[in-house]
Amino acid sequence: MYQTKNNTPEPERIELNHESYLLIYPNWSQLNYQLLRNSIAWQQHSIRLFGKQVNEPRLSAWMGDPQCAYRYSQQLRLPIPWCEPLKELRQQLNRELGTYFNSVLANLYRDGGDAMGWHSDDEPELLKNAMIASLSFGCERRFLIREKKSRTKVGEWALGNGTLLIMAAKTQQYYEHSIARTKKTVGERINLTFRQIHISAQ
Ligand SMILES: O=C(O)CCC(=O)C(=O)O
Ligand SMILES: [Mn+2]
């Protein structure tokens, strides 16, 4: 396969529309799953749904530079400090992609019952139209994309261990994504979405 000068193989590029695209790099990371799992202080968060507090169907952790507060699913999340493996992944991504990720949302899907509903990563704290880099580890799960307005599904990708998916340009403006539940017996999966929170001059 063609290699770029920093040894990253060329990605598959998927044009969603003329202003939005995805890049997929299979086997981008060889990080050990257990090391990653044990390095993150996982938390169970709850959300308010139809007037009741219910546990999110996954564990998660919000990590980043100290100024990176983030309002997500109606909760204010303050970042926990970088753990070593994620700090290194962040540096590698910033070096290879020319980005300035300052935070990451880590999600742990314990089995096929854990999932994530349709949404866009378009909260006001995020730098508008900045890339989001999503790294998957462990068992493969189906990542779905649909058009926001028409709710028409436009594609699905099986994200396997070590796969890097980039959502670029106006993907968050025009599209939503989700991780589907499955009745199949599947093992754990970790997903890391590296983000750029807008830090205002203080
Ligand atoms: O688990 C995934 O692949 C997607 C996670 C996601 O969309 C998010 O954290 O916002
Ligand atoms: Mn997302």
Side-chain angles (χ1 to χ4, degrees), residues 60-200:
S60 62
W62 174 242
M63 203 177 281
D65 294 346
Q67 320 90 313
C68 293
Y70 190 28
R71 192 166 287 280
Y72 171 85
S73 287
Q74 307 140 10
Q75 310 160 17
L76 183 68
R77 297 244 198 138
L78 299 176
I80 57 174
W82 290 98
C83 65
E84 204 49 44
L86 268 64
K87 193 194 278 181
E88 283 173 23
L89 284 174
R90 185 254 289 246
Q91 280 166 354
Q92 194 184 347
L93 286 164
N94 284 345
R95 198 170 55 238
E96 294 191 14
L97 300 171
T99 46
Y100 298 92
F101 295 122
N102 54 14
S103 52
V104 59
L105 180 63
N107 284 296
L108 173 62
Y109 302 86
R110 294 156 292 186
D111 57 29
D114 277 358
M116 188 173 290
W118 289 110
H119 69 283
S120 306
D121 299 330
D122 59 356
E123 288 79 5
E125 294 90 338
L126 293 171
L127 207 69
K128 207 165 190 273
N129 300 335
M131 273 185 193
I132 293 201
S134 154
L135 263 171
S136 295
F137 296 92
C139 280
E140 197 173 273
R141 292 288 297 267
R142 285 167 62 221
F143 173 83
L144 315 178
I145 293 226
R146 75 179 183 189
E147 212 211 355
K148 224 184 245 187
K149 261 202 198 143
S150 64
R151 298 189 168 183
T152 311
K153 189 177 139 190
V154 296
E156 71 171 72
W157 291 269
L159 300 179
N161 187 56
T163 300
L164 170 62
L165 163 80
I166 308 279
M167 297 186 264
K170 299 194 178 171
T171 301
Q172 308 302 330
Q173 190 175 320
Y174 294 117
Y175 298 91
E176 296 178 316
H177 52 276
S178 69
I179 293 290
R181 264 197 188 84
T182 176
K183 291 208 166 79
K184 285 190 205 141
T185 307
V186 291
E188 290 185 358
R189 168 178 185 264
I190 291 174
N191 177 264
L192 310 172
T193 43
F194 286 83
R195 297 152 188 253
Q196 203 179 328
I197 294 282
H198 187 261
I199 308 290
S200 53

Side-chain angles (χ1 to χ4, degrees), residues 51-67:
K52 273 201 297 191
Q53 282 302 124
V54 293
N55 280 344
E56 283 183 334
R58 59 193 173 271
L59 303 183
S60 62
W62 174 242
M63 203 177 281
D65 294 346
Q67 320 90 313

